[in-house]
Amino acid sequence: MYKLISLFMLLCCLLCLGLTSYSKAVSSESARAQSNIIQMRYGKTGIIKYNLSKGIYSVTYGVNAFINNAYAQATANGDSLSSVNYKTRKYSSVSLHDSFGNGTKHIITLTGGSVPSMQQIFYTYPNRNYFFTQLVVSGKALASNYMAPLIAEFASLGNTERSVFIPFDNDTFISYDAKDLTSGVTNTSAEVGVVYNASRTGIVSGSVEHTVWKTGVSIANLQNVHQLKVWAGYASKEVTRDTVAHGMVKGAVLRSPKIMVGYFVDWRTGLEAYGRSNRIAEPPFVFNWTKATPIGWNSWGVLQDKLTYDKAIKVADFFADSLKTFRSGNTAYIDLDAYWDFFKKGEDYSKLKEFADYCKAKGLEPGAYWAPFTDWGHKQGGSRKVEGSDYTYADLWTKTGRGYHDIDGARALDSTHPGTQRRIDYFIDHLKACGFKMIKIDFLGHAAIEAASFYDPTVTTGMQAYSKGMEYLVNRLGNQMLIYAAISPSVATGRYVHSRRVACDAFKTIEHTKYTLNSLSYGWWQTYVYNYIDADHVVFGNEPIGANRARLLSALITGTFITGDDFSSKGIWKSRAKEFYQNPGLLRVLTSGKAFQPVDAAVGTGASSAFWRRDGNEFYLAVFNYGKEAQQMAIDFKDLGLNATKIKACTEVIQGKKVALSNQLNINTPAADAALYRFTLAQ
């Protein structure tokens, strides 16, 4: 009996030892599995969870898991690389302090075999409710035109999801396009993409660096699987204007641009954060503009190729004598667009200087126009001598796979070619010597085109060429002139100019107003990329007064005000200009120079019908009716973030009418018309 008990106790001890060993083994395996999940925190509640075993990660913000199964991908020397295929992945981190604040740089280093190594880098900041990711590939003599820091599934936002096509530039009357993200829909944007729902919840992702790569953002719903892809190396004939593939980036270390990724309660807040991030990541190369918001006149509105010296002088006289209070910073700009060369004879620029001096004597600032990277006379042959050099124009033409790059009737010039630079020297030096204080530069996208090769052998991509060309131009301009961009890349131009037009040409009709405000509805956030954005020249012509009010207001809410009527001749536009342009309440709107935010999203290529901005204890609401019938609208103050009890007074600014107050604003806007409401709030 004693032996049986002893044997039983021995068996129990052995069993306990076995269970203990098993428990320790399970615990050890669990710890190892747990150690393979790296958690990187950002913002108030954001977490990036990276699985070192699989090379994928997920992202949550608060309780919202909005990114899943994310990985990185690239090509190098023709080989395809993916973060999921590497054998070894190691995590490290370092503290960082940069323009975004104090944060952490998280590095996932991926190695294995003979393939180039890869690094997935995450930049996180406790005071930023978004993060940045970047892909780096290292090896020997590498070449790539495709680097995708983020390929992932994203969580359905539900509640009528919509994504927006965001153009690369503002050429060919291109529009932003908001599409319902139903099954089968793919929407590819340039530089930044956004998807949002009817409750305004949204995901924003896009590049904040633009000196090397063009970036594409694809948002898709494929059989109800939501997919997001952000990659460097985007080239499209319809969007980026390229007819050849994106250029190869070469070197021992290849870096993608930094990509911002964020989940936002309000997609509008997300796009504004993206705009601000661009200005932080790529600070202006141009000198900062500290003077007042620019306002004035441009000859392309009506005069165009009918521009003459006498007509320009009469316009200056009208501003000096009849629009004396239409001023910002005690001045207004009188800007000569294309065809100012009618003023000169050969090398004689004296008439242009005479015009500039005349404007200054009248208390006005003279402006001129130029397209630095285009050859408008290419159909006359390439043997023409380039101004300021011994080169011919054929020497300067950008060479692409199909020959040359022609768009808008102009041929692209290689911005890295010394002949292009001598041409810049020649024209800019003449305009500076004449005393011009503003320059409108146009068709800048021609310098960003992908090419078979560039004169500068270190330049292999369109954006590298754009950066070289724009930096040379800005350096030559110095700090004498306000620099205004017309047709140009939407985001990449932010480093080089003070003001940029948001859309293509617009003139006088309600349709032109709607087209311009389509770009403001989805591109207003560019007000944080530039000192100013602009709605193009405002033309009244003989349009009904309602269309005049809408066109006027479309400029005011964009942030600046450039007019365009022919004020050298008689017409109803002159009396209306005297009334509207000198309205103190309207001019006050221009003080900040910042764009209004859309109240609600637009549909398709349409435009929002209401925009708002708050200036201290004043709240502005701009309302538009693009239709042919009067529009009734009831706006709940709560939807605008206003407390009705804090509103002291309300005025319709354009017509100067007091508005009765209640718990909501009841608006009746006539067909093809607009109104601007100013609410005075209790402090």
Side-chain angles (χ1 to χ4, degrees):
M1 185 70 179
Y2 175 77
K3 290 182 178 180
L4 288 174
I5 293 173
S6 298
L7 182 61
F8 176 76
M9 291 180 64
L10 178 62
L11 289 172
C12 287
C13 289
L14 290 173
L15 180 60
C16 287
L17 286 172
L19 289 173
T20 301
S21 298
Y22 175 77
S23 177
K24 288 181 178 179
V26 170
S27 177
S28 177
E29 180 63 29
S30 176
R32 281 197 297 271
Q34 189 66 26
S35 69
N36 280 328
I37 304 298
I38 304 299
Q39 294 197 20
M40 299 168 271
R41 297 184 179 276
Y42 70 94
K44 293 181 179 179
T45 61
I47 302 176
I48 305 164
K49 295 181 180 179
Y50 192 100
N51 189 321
L52 288 174
S53 298
K54 298 181 179 180
I56 60 174
Y57 63 94
S58 62
V59 187
T60 61
Y61 196 80
V63 297
N64 301 291
F66 67 100
I67 295 290
N68 294 295
N69 298 319
Y71 64 98
Q73 190 180 71
T75 61
N77 298 347
D79 295 328
S80 180
L81 309 173
S82 172
S83 64
V84 301
N85 293 332
Y86 280 84
K87 295 180 179 179
T88 303
R89 304 177 189 88
K90 294 183 178 180
Y91 169 78
S92 63
S93 66
V94 294
S95 298
L96 63 87
H97 177 75
D98 58 19
S99 299
F100 288 94
N102 294 320
T104 304
K105 180 179 180 180
H106 308 266
I107 306 165
I108 310 294
T109 301
L110 305 94
T111 57
S114 60
V115 299
S117 65
M118 177 183 286
Q119 286 185 331
Q120 290 174 270
I121 302 176
F122 301 88
Y123 302 84
T124 63
Y125 306 85
N127 63 332
R128 306 281 176 179
N129 292 328
Y130 49 85
F131 66 94
F132 300 98
T133 184
Q134 183 180 36
L135 180 61
V136 178
V137 176
S138 301
K140 293 183 179 179
L142 300 177
S144 176
N145 67 350
Y146 173 77
M147 299 184 77
L150 175 61
I151 303 175
E153 297 173 5
F154 69 92
S156 172
L157 301 175
N159 196 10
T160 313
E161 291 174 297
R162 191 171 289 159
S163 70
V164 184
F165 163 70
I166 297 177
F168 175 74
D169 61 19
N170 54 342
D171 205 353
T172 65
F173 295 93
I174 199 165
S175 295
Y176 292 72
D177 191 358
K179 301 177 181 179
D180 288 343
L181 197 63
T182 53
S183 184
V185 170
T186 298
N187 213 1
T188 300
S189 294
E191 306 304 330
V192 60
V194 58
V195 58
Y196 60 88
N197 65 16
S199 301
R200 295 179 178 160
T201 302
I203 300 170
V204 176
S205 56
S207 169
V208 296
E209 296 175 333
H210 314 280
T211 58
V212 178
W213 297 93
K214 292 171 184 157
T215 302
V217 182
S218 174
I219 295 172
N221 180 351
L222 303 180
Q223 297 181 342
N224 292 320
V225 176
H226 290 58
Q227 298 181 358
L228 170 64
K229 177 180 177 181
V230 186
W231 79 100
Y234 179 47
S236 162
K237 183 179 180 180
E238 293 75 22
V239 181
T240 67
R241 319 296 174 181
D242 293 304
T243 57
V244 297
H246 193 286
M248 288 286 181
V249 177
K250 301 178 181 181
V253 180
L254 308 180
R255 301 178 187 277
S256 78
K258 288 182 180 178
I259 305 300
M260 174 189 148
V261 184
Y263 176 94
F264 298 91
V265 174
D266 190 325
W267 63 274
R268 299 171 303 173
T269 303
L271 281 173
E272 289 184 354
Y274 172 74
R276 290 186 172 97
S277 293
N278 274 270
R279 196 153 178 98
I280 296 171
E282 291 190 335
F285 184 84
V286 67
F287 72 95
N288 189 40
W289 187 257
T290 57
K291 297 181 181 179
T293 303
I295 63 175
W297 174 86
N298 177 267
S299 64
W300 195 252
V302 173
L303 285 176
Q304 298 191 7
D305 60 351
K306 304 299 189 297
L307 178 66
T308 66
Y309 179 84
D310 290 341
K311 289 180 179 180
I313 291 296
K314 288 180 180 178
V315 170
D317 286 341
F318 181 74
F319 275 78
D321 301 333
S322 300
L323 295 178
K324 292 181 179 180
T325 61
F326 177 64
R327 298 290 186 273
S328 177
N330 298 318
T331 194
Y333 290 88
I334 306 299
D335 185 38
L336 305 177
D337 209 282
Y339 299 107
W340 56 256
D341 53 329
F342 288 175
F343 289 23
K344 72 182 186 70
K345 294 181 180 179
E347 302 294 313
D348 183 4
Y349 280 73
S350 59
K351 207 67 175 175
L352 279 164
K353 186 178 187 309
E354 188 178 327
F355 168 77
D357 290 343
Y358 188 87
C359 289
K360 293 174 188 176
K362 294 286 186 177
L364 303 165
E365 297 280 27
Y369 167 98
W370 195 47
F373 306 115
T374 55
D375 176 15
W376 294 92
H378 67 93
K379 292 182 180 179
Q380 300 170 23
S383 61
R384 294 163 295 120
K385 185 179 177 181
V386 174
E387 297 86 344
S389 79
D390 293 326
Y391 294 100
T392 66
Y393 270 93
D395 295 329
L396 278 56
W397 291 341
T398 301
K399 299 171 181 62
T400 63
R402 64 181 179 88
Y404 304 103
H405 179 69
D406 299 334
I407 189 171
D408 301 319
R411 179 160 292 176
L413 301 179
D414 181 348
S415 64
T416 75
H417 196 286
T420 304
Q421 295 171 354
R422 299 295 80 75
R423 182 172 176 266
I424 289 172
D425 298 344
Y426 175 85
F427 281 104
I428 295 304
D429 290 354
H430 275 296
L431 293 175
K432 288 170 67 176
C434 288
F436 285 100
K437 296 297 183 180
M438 171 186 178
I439 187 165
K440 176 182 174 182
I441 48 177
D442 205 357
F443 300 101
L444 302 182
H446 283 68
I449 207 68
E450 303 299 329
S453 64
F454 296 94
Y455 181 89
D456 184 341
T458 67
V459 173
T460 57
T461 74
M463 297 315 296
Q464 288 174 329
Y466 189 66
S467 180
K468 287 271 188 179
M470 291 300 294
E471 286 184 9
Y472 190 91
L473 175 65
V474 171
N475 278 332
R476 200 69 184 188
L477 282 165
N479 59 3
Q480 178 174 318
M481 300 187 204
L482 170 77
I483 305 176
Y484 166 99
I487 291 175
S488 54
S490 300
V491 187
T493 309
R495 296 181 68 225
Y496 310 111
V497 305
H498 302 114
S499 181
R500 180 184 175 273
R501 199 172 71 195
V502 294
C504 203
D505 294 13
F507 297 93
K508 60 184 179 181
T509 67
I510 193 69
E511 288 78 16
H512 287 145
T513 294
K514 184 178 181 180
Y515 165 72
T516 298
L517 292 183
N518 162 266
S519 292
L520 192 67
S521 297
Y522 285 113
W524 88 95
W525 49 269
Q526 292 170 37
T527 195
Y528 301 106
V529 179
Y530 299 86
N531 292 93
Y532 308 100
I533 54 176
D534 177 81
D536 205 16
H537 32 56
V538 171
V539 177
F540 281 172
N542 292 312
E543 291 293 303
I545 194 167
N548 289 172
R549 284 192 285 257
R551 189 71 187 97
L552 163 75
L553 191 52
S554 70
L556 293 178
I557 69 169
T558 306
T560 60
F561 191 16
I562 302 297
T563 69
D565 278 293
D566 178 8
F567 294 118
S568 70
S569 62
K570 295 180 179 179
I572 193 171
W573 53 87
K574 295 180 81 169
S575 60
R576 288 180 179 173
K578 291 178 185 179
E579 175 188 355
F580 290 137
Y581 296 176
Q582 300 185 108
N583 181 326
L586 295 177
L587 292 174
R588 193 162 77 196
V589 177
L590 295 168
T591 303
S592 78
K594 289 301 178 186
F596 283 42
Q597 186 186 90
V599 172
D600 285 308
V603 177
T605 57
S608 177
S609 59
F611 301 80
W612 70 273
R613 190 183 75 199
R614 181 164 181 170
D615 296 338
N617 68 331
E618 292 185 334
F619 184 97
Y620 289 96
L621 177 68
V623 179
F624 294 84
N625 180 1
Y626 311 108
K628 297 180 180 180
E629 303 291 337
Q631 182 183 69
Q632 299 283 342
M633 183 184 298
I635 296 181
D636 191 324
F637 292 127
K638 292 180 181 178
D639 293 338
L640 300 176
L642 294 178
N643 183 339
T645 64
K646 298 291 185 180
I647 301 174
K648 296 170 61 178
C650 179
T651 303
E652 198 292 307
V653 181
I654 300 178
Q655 300 186 57
K657 296 179 179 178
K658 298 290 184 182
V659 178
L661 293 173
S662 64
N663 289 327
Q664 65 180 22
L665 181 64
N666 297 306
I667 300 172
N668 181 13
T669 309
D673 208 335
L676 177 64
Y677 297 91
R678 182 178 67 238
F679 301 90
T680 303
L681 308 176
Q683 293 184 343

